[in-house]
Amino acid sequence: MMAPTTRGGVAPLFLVFAVAKTATALLTSCPAGTGIPEGSVDCTECPAGTWSSEGSYKCQECQPGQYSSEAGSSTCRKCPTGTWSDRRGASSISFCELCAPGTHNSLEGSTSVDSCIKCPKGSFSEHAGAEECDRCPPGTYGDSEQADSKDMCVACPAGTAQKFPGQSRKEVCYPCGPGTYSDEAASRCRACPSGTWNAELNAAQCQACPSGKWTRQPQATSPDQCQSCFGGQEWCGSNEVEVQGEVNGVDFESLDSRGLAAFKRGVAEGISEICEIPLATVVAPSGENSTVKLTVSPSGAGDIEAYVVESVRCTFQDLAHKMTTPKFRTELQKSVGPTLAPIFDNMAVTVRSVTQTNFELPKTTTTARTSTSTSSSSSTTAAPTTTTAAATTTSTAAAAAAAAAPLFCASSWLSPSTFNRYQRYGRHDSKGSSDRHRRRRR
């Protein structure tokens, strides 16, 4: 039986169109991430660089600033901050171009290189793909845009300081006033240590008091504040002195117990090196040698305390001043080793006092003080017990050096009662203590 026809064959063409339209209508609900390729009636995964939503039958290209790196994606991902892309249908994050060093971009999905903004003055970005620019640190300023290195931050000259990050003008470096000084790139001016003075603005260093003179307090502004040391000594030195200071610029919370122990020994080695004395003669208040006492304050600063119990070869002025110099920091960093050394790059030491004193152990502790000569640098850790006596042993050479050491000029000065006690035990002459005074010290 023949199929019905119409004039011109219109009916068969209409039927084919109707069947195709019906098939397409039935397949318009493809799952997300799939579509119907041209010439097919099946839902297949969208290729990388394209996507589709639920119910769509067509895969669409990712827009500029986006990409899809996997087949079957239901959405495109935005290019991350610090990048941009003007490519349509990007199939990998590698099509997201990195912003150049010296620029930054904090927006996702950027479509143009113009979205990479130049770092403003006072900041820099050293690596490609920066989301934000880093600010120039305190003690410096940045006077150029699009800086691509921290080295482009200009250090404030020695004798000036500034404490805020991200500064853009040289004028923010304020001058250090009388009684203070600063090194290059300083975040603050530091007080001249006891035994020194400065009367000028913009001082890079303080002037030492003349031989035989000392200042009662730090931050002296005139040589008239330098007063004679006790006993008319030509230089201020002593057998036993107490050093107290403050350490800033160190993240002590980042150090474990071993790191803190390494720091305390490093301070002791720094004192040993700058004064050319045996390491074992630097003693913590507890009696342990070759280390110091460290107390971290709530503000994060480290308070240090130590005794130097044998002959001091640097003057009172030298000991106070040298602990504030880069050389002291360098010696400490050598001691702690290369792993911990960077933690102390910004360390700043302020010496509060260097005072003549006789070191005494706690009453419930005894120790054998390390036998040393002036040429020895070996160290021995104190052995605490629970007796009430303090035994002290020194070699003949060390005892002779102790006897020959002149008096220290104490920052607190000697009270009348102390002065009378020294007269009672025998006056000090240019050759050292009297025999009676030496017997008392033992």
Side-chain angles (χ1 to χ4, degrees), residues 111-408:
T111 61
S112 169
V113 69
D114 294 336
S115 60
C116 299
I117 303 171
K118 295 178 181 178
C119 290
K121 293 180 179 180
S123 66
F124 64 95
S125 68
E126 293 186 307
H127 306 290
E131 178 181 353
E132 298 290 347
C133 298
D134 297 313
R135 293 187 293 178
C136 289
T140 69
Y141 63 93
D143 57 2
S144 59
E145 292 183 336
Q146 204 169 346
D148 58 6
S149 171
K150 184 179 180 180
D151 294 338
M152 296 183 70
C153 298
V154 184
C156 288
T160 67
Q162 79 86 8
K163 60 182 180 180
F164 298 107
Q167 300 303 300
S168 60
R169 298 179 300 115
K170 183 179 181 179
E171 289 74 18
V172 299
C173 302
Y174 60 86
C176 294
T180 65
Y181 75 102
S182 77
D183 298 322
E184 188 179 71
S187 60
R188 63 185 179 91
C189 298
R190 300 164 66 185
C192 290
S194 296
T196 67
W197 61 276
N198 168 48
E200 306 294 334
L201 294 173
N202 300 104
Q205 61 183 6
C206 302
Q207 306 298 316
C209 288
S211 297
K213 291 191 174 184
W214 188 251
T215 55
R216 294 172 183 250
Q217 302 293 336
Q219 205 165 338
T221 59
S222 168
D224 296 337
Q225 293 173 260
C226 299
Q227 301 187 24
S228 297
C229 295
F230 172 73
Q233 301 299 317
E234 293 183 359
W235 66 287
C236 298
S238 174
N239 255 86
E240 297 185 5
V241 295
E242 180 186 20
V243 183
Q244 293 184 343
E246 179 180 292
V247 178
N248 288 284
V250 176
D251 182 12
F252 288 105
E253 291 186 356
S254 67
L255 298 174
D256 58 16
S257 58
R258 290 185 178 181
L260 293 172
F263 166 76
K264 292 188 289 185
R265 182 180 176 87
V267 172
E269 290 199 5
I271 295 174
S272 169
E273 290 296 325
I274 62 176
C275 281
E276 300 179 2
I277 58 176
L279 173 60
T281 63
V282 183
V283 181
S286 63
E288 183 181 4
N289 57 21
S290 306
T291 188
V292 303
K293 178 182 178 181
L294 170 67
T295 304
V296 180
S297 66
S299 65
D303 295 324
I304 55 175
E305 181 181 2
Y307 290 85
V308 180
V309 297
E310 295 296 344
S311 56
V312 178
R313 296 183 183 178
C314 56
T315 66
F316 196 2
Q317 294 93 328
D318 282 344
L319 180 57
H321 176 66
K322 286 181 177 180
M323 286 184 67
T324 67
T325 61
K327 176 176 172 58
F328 179 79
R329 181 176 64 244
T330 299
E331 295 298 337
L332 184 146
Q333 289 179 305
K334 288 180 182 178
S335 174
V336 301
T339 302
L340 294 179
I343 297 176
F344 305 101
D345 284 343
N346 298 316
M347 183 183 75
V349 178
T350 301
V351 177
R352 291 174 175 164
S353 65
V354 182
T355 310
Q356 175 190 355
T357 185
N358 290 329
F359 172 69
E360 295 181 1
L361 286 167
K363 291 183 179 180
T364 58
T365 306
T366 182
T367 186
R369 188 173 296 170
T370 306
S371 298
T372 86
S373 69
T374 54
S375 62
S376 171
S377 61
S378 62
S379 63
T380 303
T381 303
T385 69
T386 56
T387 69
T388 58
T392 302
T393 61
T394 58
S395 69
T396 302
L407 277 173
F408 226 110

Side-chain angles (χ1 to χ4, degrees), residues 30-37 43-53 56-61 68-75:
C30 286
T34 64
I36 303 174
C43 295
T44 58
E45 283 188 330
C46 295
T50 65
W51 67 285
S52 74
S53 59
S56 174
Y57 62 89
K58 183 177 182 181
C59 298
Q60 304 180 56
E61 287 184 322
S68 70
S69 56
E70 298 178 355
S73 295
S74 60
T75 184

